[in-house]
């Protein structure tokens, strides 16, 4: 979550998307993941305040 109604940019290795947080600060967006390690950078912009966080996820296309 972030500040309510903030603009959120979600950047993956090869794609990015822009979302707007709801009144509770929740947001969602879709990006493409590559196989293996993916660093996702999330940046929130609200009323002159910029916050950035990086999340690392690992993706495998195998079915378990």
């Amino acid at each position: 979550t972030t500040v309510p109604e903030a603009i959120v940019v979600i950047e993956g290795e090869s794609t990015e998307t822009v979302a707007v947080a709801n009144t509770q600060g929740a947001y969602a967006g879709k990006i493409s993941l590559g196989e293996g390690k993916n660093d996702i950078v999330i940046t929130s912009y609200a009323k002159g305040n910029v916050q950035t966080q990086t999340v690392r996820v690992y993706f495998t296309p195998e079915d378990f």
Side-chain angles (χ1 to χ4, degrees):
T1 60
T2 187
V3 177
E5 301 176 355
I7 295 172
V8 181
V9 178
I10 306 165
E11 298 176 83
E13 301 284 327
S14 62
T15 60
E16 72 179 30
T17 189
V18 177
V20 177
N22 66 16
T23 56
Q24 285 79 40
Y27 60 90
K30 292 184 181 183
I31 58 167
S32 297
L33 298 176
E35 188 171 351
K37 178 183 79 162
N38 292 266
D39 289 325
I40 302 168
V41 179
I42 301 133
T43 306
S44 171
Y45 300 91
K47 300 178 184 174
N49 186 13
V50 178
Q51 296 180 345
T52 299
Q53 182 172 0
T54 301
V55 178
R56 179 171 288 163
V57 297
Y58 292 87
F59 170 71
T60 180
E62 297 178 29
D63 291 329
F64 291 99

